[in-house]
Amino acid sequence: MTKRKKKADIGRDDAVFADLGRELAATADAREAARIILDAANALVGWDAAYLILYDPEQPNKLLRSLYLADTIKGERSELKEFSFDAPSANMLKAIAEGGFVSSFDDERQIPENAPSIGGGDKRTLSQMFVPVVSGSRTIGVMSVQSYHKNFYNREQLILMNDLASHCAGALERVWAQEALSGFVERLKALHAAITEINANLETESICRALYEAVIKVMPCDDFVIDGYDKRRNEIIPIYAIEYPSTRLFLNRYVADHGLSGAVVKTQKSFLMNSRADMRRSGIQFEWHSTHQEEPTYSILAAPMILNGEAYGMVSAQSYKENAYSDEDLYLLEALASHAVIAIENARLFDSIQQIADADPLTGILNRRRFYALAERHFERTRSHNIPLSMIMLDIDDFKMFNDRFGHQTGDAVLLLVTETCKAALRADDVFGRLGGEEFAVALPATKLDDALEIASRLREAIAKAKLPQSDIPAITVSVGVADCNQNCKSLEEMLDRADQAMYASKNLGRNQVRAWQADG
């Protein structure tokens, strides 16, 4: 290259820039735009390997997008479709800081075995140029051209490459914006389809599943959580949880003074955290429920569900990668949460109406038919997902005596007292029903036998302490049997029968006690 360009070279350069403008104006595809730009670079300065990436150092996530990478392998120009950058290289950052640079090496160096193929493995970059792609005052990417020849590039060519980067920056940003807008529109369409589906559904589990499937379509999501909030008890009520890879989790409620959900319902604000450092800075005492040996979550989005100005719960998407989420992702999750809360509340109201038909007329709790239907659902879930399930069978001791000595009105009062005492001690997701007469049953989802025995003992003690207003009424006691769903339990009927056997064992051993079912009787 001479110090002064020849007229022919200037004319060639002008023609390259003119063709570049026309070709870029005709495409809306970012990858194709990058190929056009690198072809122009080849015509202007030549290269054996080249790439163009999008990278904005001002963006909080600082994510890279490799638009086009090409190499000369065994004399043939090839696109490296599988190669990408996880983070900006030192050369990229240097180009952004210095406005571009040229460098050369004196000899070929051995290529590491795990490095991408360059020149089929027998060539190595000996000259290179890096220039930033700047639109206005904002860096939007980096372009690099490389040669396998020594001292192939010079400062004059660097100026030409900077002119090329400047010439194409606006068009590249336009194409990038068009793609981003198109992608956002597609995400909104997926969101709209999910909203339509959940608004037409009145079953909570189906609504939550539709929400999860919508989220994984529009943003990264390894784990997904929907929690409710019980304001009266100040407790977080797990509604729906998915852990990678699509494992349904069933969790217990907890006090809302900690955990991500606790922070969301307390502040009624969203959270966007893209690193463990962000999580530490949030000050949240996280309540992790991972089944992995180590908690894998590195990025979190969480949006509150607000109904009538009050906290109703939280929707959260979580990723096992850093810098997974953007403000746009948070906007989409917040939009989804605003519709989710209405759909979930409608499902709850519908379920409460259904419960009127499914309720025992005296006590208001589940009647026998509805109890069996819900317990069967939990039993099937236990068999398919290998999660615990326990059953309590509870019978009022000497109930006939209350009816015979004090009348049926007192007998009804005893049934109501036992019902209210149990309801106060049970959890929201426990299934409590009256099977008939003085016999009650409780299905305990996600509860192991030892925990079920503890709950049964609390029920027995609470009932023994409960008193009717009449002073001459004897103490009310219950005999309780407990069974769990182990591998040998083949049906709900068998599980209920085991709890029933344990309950009769309590009767036979003196009443007012708790017994667990044993295989040997």
Side-chain angles (χ1 to χ4, degrees):
M1 180 72 71
T2 60
K3 290 185 179 179
R4 180 174 293 177
K5 273 193 167 185
K6 296 178 181 179
K7 289 183 178 180
D9 292 338
I10 295 174
R12 180 208 62 191
D13 294 351
D14 289 343
V16 169
F17 279 108
D19 289 342
L20 175 66
R22 284 192 295 269
E23 291 185 53
L24 287 177
T27 186
D29 179 77
R31 178 185 162 278
E32 177 62 15
R35 184 196 63 77
I36 293 169
I37 294 166
L38 290 178
D39 282 350
N42 187 45
L44 292 171
V45 300
W47 51 260
D48 293 308
Y51 61 78
L52 177 57
I53 66 163
L54 294 179
Y55 173 64
D56 184 353
E58 299 303 319
Q59 289 293 318
N61 293 348
K62 298 185 179 179
L63 299 178
L64 285 82
R65 179 183 171 192
S66 302
L67 290 184
Y68 197 87
L69 300 95
D71 197 359
T72 304
I73 301 174
K74 295 181 180 179
E76 296 290 331
R77 188 69 54 79
S78 301
E79 181 184 357
L80 302 180
K81 293 183 178 180
E82 303 302 320
F83 185 75
S84 62
F85 295 95
D86 293 326
S89 67
N91 283 334
M92 294 178 198
L93 297 176
K94 180 180 178 182
I96 293 171
E98 298 180 3
F101 68 91
V102 178
S103 65
S104 296
F105 303 102
D106 293 331
D107 53 44
E108 295 188 3
R109 295 173 293 174
Q110 185 178 3
I111 303 171
E113 291 184 3
N114 61 351
S117 175
I118 298 179
D122 60 347
K123 297 288 182 70
R124 184 67 181 180
T125 295
L126 295 179
S127 301
Q128 60 186 7
M129 278 194 293
F130 283 80
V131 295
V133 181
V134 181
S135 178
S137 60
R138 188 168 73 93
T139 298
I140 63 171
V142 175
M143 179 164 48
S144 173
V145 293
Q146 301 169 20
S147 171
Y148 301 146
H149 304 282
K150 297 178 182 178
N151 302 314
F152 192 77
Y153 301 120
N154 57 36
R155 294 293 301 178
E156 190 172 281
Q157 289 172 310
L158 178 62
I159 293 171
L160 192 58
M161 282 292 291
N162 271 315
D163 287 344
L164 174 64
S166 177
H167 190 83
C168 69
L172 191 59
E173 187 167 41
R174 171 186 60 79
V175 172
W176 187 8
Q178 285 178 337
E179 278 199 349
L181 179 60
S182 177
F184 188 62
V185 168
E186 291 302 312
R187 296 168 81 190
L188 287 176
K189 287 180 180 177
L191 211 64
H192 180 265
I195 290 168
T196 301
E197 181 178 352
I198 66 175
N199 286 340
N201 204 315
L202 290 172
E203 205 278 317
T204 301
E205 185 78 8
S206 298
I207 291 170
C208 293
R209 181 72 191 182
L211 291 168
Y212 166 64
E213 291 176 349
V215 167
I216 61 177
K217 287 179 183 176
V218 301
M219 68 184 69
C221 181
D222 294 306
D223 294 350
F224 180 71
V225 178
I226 300 177
D227 282 341
Y229 176 56
D230 183 339
K231 182 178 179 181
R232 183 173 63 87
R233 295 189 176 188
N234 191 34
E235 288 182 337
I236 299 300
I237 307 170
I239 297 174
Y240 189 83
I242 292 285
E243 181 182 69
Y244 180 84
S246 299
T247 301
R248 179 76 165 89
L249 300 182
F250 297 89
L251 308 170
N252 293 325
R253 57 164 63 201
Y254 61 90
V255 178
D257 60 356
H258 65 289
L260 178 63
S261 296
V264 172
V265 299
K266 179 181 179 181
T267 62
Q268 296 190 23
K269 293 182 179 179
S270 298
F271 288 87
L272 191 166
M273 292 169 273
N274 270 319
S275 66
R276 291 287 176 82
D278 287 349
M279 296 179 203
R280 288 191 293 271
R281 282 192 292 267
S282 72
I284 297 172
Q285 183 185 347
F286 286 93
E287 177 89 0
W288 300 114
H289 297 287
S290 175
T291 60
H292 302 285
Q293 285 188 328
E294 294 184 6
E295 173 54 43
T297 301
Y298 279 85
S299 297
I300 293 175
L301 277 186
M305 292 192 292
I306 307 293
L307 187 65
N308 299 326
E310 294 193 350
Y312 190 91
M314 175 205 74
V315 179
S316 175
Q318 302 170 12
S319 172
Y320 297 165
K321 295 181 179 180
E322 282 193 342
N323 299 318
Y325 298 117
S326 65
D327 291 336
E328 187 178 282
D329 294 322
L330 183 58
Y331 169 79
L332 293 174
L333 191 69
E334 288 174 337
L336 202 58
S338 67
H339 289 273
V341 64
I342 297 171
I344 293 172
E345 175 63 7
N346 286 342
R348 187 194 67 80
L349 293 174
F350 178 77
D351 190 58
S352 66
I353 293 171
Q354 286 293 105
Q355 286 180 13
I356 295 174
D358 296 332
D360 174 67
L362 174 64
T363 62
I365 61 174
L366 297 176
N367 58 27
R368 182 186 186 91
R369 178 187 59 80
R370 185 58 176 166
F371 173 83
Y372 268 80
L374 294 181
E376 183 68 45
R377 189 180 301 173
H378 284 290
F379 184 85
E380 292 301 323
R381 190 175 293 163
T382 291
R383 306 302 290 178
S384 60
H385 294 286
N386 193 30
I387 57 175
L389 176 67
S390 294
M391 188 72 65
I392 292 175
M393 195 72 76
L394 179 152
D395 189 271
I396 301 174
D397 296 327
D398 295 319
F399 180 71
K400 187 173 181 299
M401 176 268 297
F402 290 102
N403 280 329
D404 292 346
R405 286 180 54 187
F406 302 99
H408 288 281
Q409 189 173 2
T410 298
D412 289 348
V414 170
L415 291 170
L416 288 169
L417 182 62
V418 169
T419 298
E420 293 305 315
T421 303
C422 289
K423 284 170 62 177
L426 292 171
R427 303 164 300 185
D429 48 354
D430 295 333
V431 181
F432 181 38
R434 182 185 177 198
L435 302 190
E438 67 273 25
E439 192 173 51
F440 298 81
V442 186
L444 304 170
T447 306
K448 296 180 180 179
L449 181 61
D450 288 346
D451 294 328
L453 285 168
E454 185 176 323
I455 293 171
S457 295
R458 285 207 307 267
L459 293 177
R460 185 198 63 79
E461 292 171 4
I463 292 169
K465 293 176 182 177
K467 301 292 183 182
L468 288 173
Q470 301 93 315
S471 59
D472 58 338
I473 303 295
I476 303 167
T477 63
V478 292
S479 296
V480 188
V482 183
D484 66 340
C485 183
N486 58 32
Q487 292 181 344
N488 297 323
C489 189
K490 304 302 181 185
S491 66
L492 175 65
E493 288 74 15
E494 183 177 359
M495 188 179 183
L496 285 163
D497 183 63
R498 290 178 177 183
D500 198 51
Q501 291 178 40
M503 184 267 290
Y504 274 105
S506 295
K507 292 275 190 191
N508 295 332
L509 291 170
R511 303 175 182 176
N512 190 25
Q513 55 188 278
V514 176
R515 285 284 180 265
W517 179 82
Q518 296 178 344
D520 57 4

